[in-house]
Amino acid sequence: MNNGKLYGWGSNEHGQMGIKAEIGMEMYETVNFVTEVIREGYEDQKVTNFDISDTALLFQLENGDFWYAGMKIAYKPEKLNLQLNSKPKLFAAGQRALVVVDESN
């Protein structure tokens, strides 16, 4: 969205929607309505890019930080602690893997 928020709906079998916020909501149930991804920990940052697979969500914030959800590890977004030499724009979410390319020399 133009406001930098990330929304989704669909299968959440692996927690890849990053939306477990509602009381009584099962962690891995299908999300049948457009729902905002939890913004806890990055409330003041905008999402600038994302990738999603059938098991994982990976997204980048305007400050260059990467966050992920899913793979039955994180039911809400968690920050990836990467030590990169640049702010890469090339990344991907796979079935059981996340990839970020450090474009520095």
Side-chain angles (χ1 to χ4, degrees):
M1 302 293 293
N2 288 338
N3 62 7
K5 294 180 180 180
L6 189 59
Y7 296 84
W9 67 95
S11 174
N12 195 38
E13 184 178 342
H14 297 271
Q16 68 270 29
M17 297 304 295
I19 61 168
K20 180 158 182 340
E22 296 181 26
I23 296 173
M25 180 180 184
E26 292 297 321
M27 185 181 310
Y28 302 121
E29 73 182 21
T30 297
V31 179
N32 293 317
F33 48 90
V34 177
T35 304
E36 183 179 359
V37 172
I38 295 172
R39 295 181 56 80
E40 184 177 305
Y42 65 98
E43 298 87 347
D44 298 330
Q45 289 288 317
K46 291 183 178 182
V47 175
T48 58
N49 206 349
F50 74 95
D51 192 26
I52 191 165
S53 72
D54 59 346
T55 62
L57 167 66
L58 178 62
F59 60 93
Q60 187 176 31
L61 302 178
E62 62 189 345
N63 67 1
D65 288 348
F66 285 92
W67 289 65
Y68 78 98
M71 297 187 292
K72 293 190 176 181
I73 298 171
Y75 64 88
K76 64 180 184 177
E78 293 186 16
K79 183 178 178 181
L80 282 174
N81 293 315
L82 301 174
Q83 295 183 6
L84 302 174
N85 295 319
S86 64
K87 292 183 180 178
K89 294 287 184 186
L90 184 59
F91 58 90
Q95 281 197 342
R96 291 186 174 88
L98 304 172
V99 178
V100 178
V101 177
D102 187 349
E103 297 176 334
S104 63
N105 292 330

